[in-house]
Amino acid sequence: MDFKSPYRQLFVYAVLACVFVGTSTWSYEQGRPLTALLLMLLAMVALVHMWRVLGRIERRWWLLFDAWEAGEPRRPAAFQRYYAKAHDRWLASMAALQQQQEKQEARQLFLETLLANIEVGLVVLRPDGSIYWHNPAAMRWLQLPPAARHVQQLPPAWEAWKQWVLQAAHHEERLFEIAMDHSLMSFASKVSRFAVLGEAFIAVGIQNLQHLMEDKEMMAWQQLTRVLTHEISNSVTPIASILSSVRELMQAEALTAEDHAEIQQALALVERRAQDLIHFVQEFRNLTKMPEPNRRWVQVHQLFEEVAQLMQQEAEAIQASIEIRVEPAHMQLWADRGLLMQVLINLCKNALHALAETERARKLQLTAVEGERYLAVEDNGTGISPEAMRRLFVPFFSTKKKGSGIGLSLSRQIVRAHGWRLRVQSEWGKGTRIRIDF
């Protein structure tokens, strides 16, 4: 047994002290006072040695603690073997902790660098409007003064944003037009609310959409120009050709009855093409002039039933069923009933057209789920090809031979006028689902 261990010494001295005290008591009871006194003195010596061993243990541990506090990578020379294991374990723990800390610092540096270089502005506010943190992009877009500590210190151009951001609900989004550098800039902003250690915060993202909107606007104008050029050319070219033929007939010295008949027929064709062109222009005007929704509370189930009745004859003609699902059954929407019905009719007509081209059991479903905040028109028809999906909302583009190409574009404008969103989900050959998120 290694008696150099202070813990073993402490145990031996404690046992000896107990033995000496016990035998001293027994000797005193047996009438041997001198023996009892001698044993008691030995017990006191054992207790003194115990005290000295405890002091030595304490000094060793304090030495170990000092080494830990100083980050000493090597064991102190005074350490004995029974302290070495504790010190080695401490060094291993410290190395693992340092490695974790370095990884955490690397991740933090990565996030800080990322947030500092992205073009999306991020600002974290407290519920009272005080600014907790922001990245450089937020400082640039919000035109924050360097010493700004509250949203009320933002420039007057952001007044509408200031009023909205503190009252916005979780995940609420909104577009803003801000006057900056003598021009209007478009921004999208989204709010997220969260709490850390019981303290509430508001995280706000601010994205400059100006360049994106300009690119989209240019693409839309190019697509619209191609459509208008195509439609006008289709009407004007035959008109020019017919009028040229009429002019040649009119140059004849004497017109026969047959010539008069040809001229009448040609002028009738010109009139029809002109009427088609006038109708096209009128449709274009209707597309660009969207009335403001006259909102009322609308019973969704009743609205769906009326739409189904209007579509029933067309559905029966192609042997398609119409199903309605509204959750809950008493669901209501704050909307313009007439405009919403127009949207649903347009979407149902498109769905029935797609169903007519499929051979399987045809089904059209109208769905409304209040909890998930959406309406949907779904069919199991042919679906929409990937090429058509890219041009789906281009005015006057249609996948139908006799389609006007404005139904879906008009529907999306009506949905947007309500502040909602229209999305198309389609799988070629399996069906289409058009969803309105409100």
Side-chain angles (χ1 to χ4, degrees):
M1 180 181 293
D2 183 9
F3 195 67
K4 293 182 178 180
S5 170
Y7 299 103
R8 291 194 179 96
Q9 293 178 14
L10 186 63
F11 173 76
V12 170
Y13 288 134
V15 171
L16 289 175
C18 291
V19 170
F20 290 150
V21 169
T23 52
S24 175
T25 304
W26 180 80
S27 297
Y28 184 78
E29 291 175 352
Q30 295 296 322
R32 300 175 182 175
L34 292 178
T35 303
L37 180 61
L38 179 60
L39 291 171
M40 188 60 67
L41 289 174
L42 291 174
M44 291 180 64
V45 170
L47 289 174
V48 170
H49 279 287
M50 281 180 62
W51 181 259
R52 291 176 61 187
V53 170
L54 284 173
R56 191 162 66 250
I57 292 174
E58 183 182 14
R59 287 193 298 274
R60 292 287 189 270
W61 278 110
W62 278 116
L63 189 62
L64 183 62
F65 292 149
D66 290 341
W68 289 353
E69 186 175 348
E72 176 64 44
R74 297 174 59 187
R75 293 196 299 270
F79 270 27
Q80 297 182 19
R81 180 169 55 84
Y82 34 85
Y83 293 102
K85 291 183 180 179
H87 189 263
D88 292 342
R89 289 289 298 274
W90 172 80
L91 287 179
S93 299
M94 289 300 296
L97 182 62
Q98 185 176 1
Q99 188 176 9
Q100 290 294 327
Q101 186 175 1
E102 289 174 355
K103 289 181 179 179
Q104 185 67 27
E105 290 175 354
R107 283 194 292 265
Q108 184 175 353
L109 180 61
F110 171 78
L111 289 175
E112 289 177 354
T113 305
L114 177 65
L115 294 174
N117 288 279
I118 61 174
E119 285 299 308
V120 177
L122 295 172
V123 59
V124 179
L125 309 173
R126 293 186 176 91
D128 62 357
S130 59
I131 300 173
Y132 179 79
W133 176 88
H134 61 78
N135 69 342
M139 187 173 184
R140 183 168 66 254
W141 298 136
L142 293 174
Q143 300 172 304
L144 279 169
R149 293 293 180 269
H150 199 279
V151 291
Q152 296 303 328
Q153 296 175 270
L154 295 178
W158 289 89
E159 186 63 34
W161 184 86
K162 289 187 290 185
Q163 295 178 2
W164 169 78
V165 72
L166 296 179
Q167 301 174 0
H170 182 55
H171 285 173
E172 185 174 341
E173 298 179 69
R174 186 171 168 183
L175 293 175
F176 292 89
E177 285 193 339
I178 308 296
M180 294 178 66
D181 300 327
H182 308 290
S183 64
L184 283 177
M185 304 284 285
S186 298
F187 289 89
S189 192
K190 182 175 181 178
V191 165
S192 296
R193 294 179 176 270
F194 64 98
V196 177
L197 298 178
E199 185 176 3
F201 293 98
I202 305 172
V204 189
I206 306 153
Q207 185 175 9
N208 183 1
L209 300 179
Q210 193 63 31
H211 296 301
L212 180 62
M213 293 183 69
E214 288 175 356
D215 291 342
K216 288 288 186 182
E217 184 179 359
M218 181 61 68
M219 290 175 61
W221 274 112
Q222 290 173 350
Q223 291 175 333
L224 186 58
T225 301
R226 285 195 293 268
V227 171
L228 292 175
T229 302
H230 180 265
E231 291 294 330
I232 294 173
S233 177
N234 283 349
S235 296
V236 172
T237 300
I239 289 175
S241 177
I242 292 170
L243 291 178
S244 177
S245 300
V246 170
R247 185 180 62 181
E248 292 177 1
L249 288 173
M250 295 292 291
Q251 288 176 351
E253 293 181 358
L255 297 177
T256 64
E258 186 179 350
D259 291 337
H260 279 288
E262 288 184 11
I263 291 173
Q264 291 293 331
Q265 185 180 6
L267 292 177
L269 286 172
V270 169
E271 183 181 9
R272 282 199 299 271
R273 293 308 299 169
Q275 289 295 333
D276 290 341
L277 190 57
I278 291 171
H279 177 72
F280 171 78
V281 173
Q282 187 62 42
E283 292 284 359
F284 182 74
R285 289 183 61 190
N286 292 338
L287 184 63
T288 57
K289 292 175 63 177
M290 175 56 57
E292 188 69 23
N294 183 20
R295 295 174 183 260
R296 297 287 187 274
W297 284 112
V298 178
Q299 292 286 345
V300 177
H301 200 283
Q302 182 183 2
L303 179 67
F304 279 3
E305 287 181 341
E306 291 184 19
V307 172
Q309 289 176 0
L310 291 171
M311 296 290 103
Q312 190 62 41
Q313 188 173 355
E314 292 185 39
E316 289 176 352
I318 61 171
Q319 298 180 339
S321 64
I322 301 178
E323 298 179 2
I324 294 175
R325 182 170 70 94
V326 180
E327 298 178 2
H330 60 272
M331 177 180 171
Q332 291 183 318
L333 271 182
W334 182 248
D336 187 310
R337 196 178 194 280
L339 291 178
L340 185 55
M341 177 172 277
Q342 183 178 352
V343 170
L344 293 172
I345 289 173
N346 285 338
L347 299 182
C348 287
K349 282 183 175 291
N350 290 342
L352 290 173
H353 178 268
L355 286 170
E357 300 177 3
T358 186
E359 298 298 328
R360 56 178 173 268
R362 302 177 177 99
K363 184 177 72 173
L364 170 63
Q365 181 167 312
L366 300 172
T367 306
V369 181
E370 187 174 43
E372 298 181 32
R373 301 180 63 84
Y374 79 88
L375 308 175
V377 176
E378 188 172 358
D379 67 77
N380 63 337
T382 55
I384 304 172
S385 67
E387 181 182 355
M389 280 288 287
R390 288 192 291 269
R391 304 175 60 193
L392 206 55
F393 292 104
V394 176
F396 309 108
F397 169 77
S398 177
T399 58
K400 296 178 285 188
K401 293 180 180 179
K402 296 183 179 180
S404 64
I406 66 168
L408 201 54
S409 298
L410 185 62
S411 297
R412 186 167 71 165
Q413 283 196 247
I414 293 173
V415 169
R416 283 184 171 177
H418 283 78
W420 303 342
R421 182 186 177 195
L422 187 145
R423 292 190 294 162
V424 178
Q425 302 166 325
S426 184
E427 189 171 353
W428 181 237
K430 292 188 177 181
T432 300
R433 186 186 199 216
I434 299 182
R435 171 170 167 157
I436 300 173
D437 297 316
F438 56 85

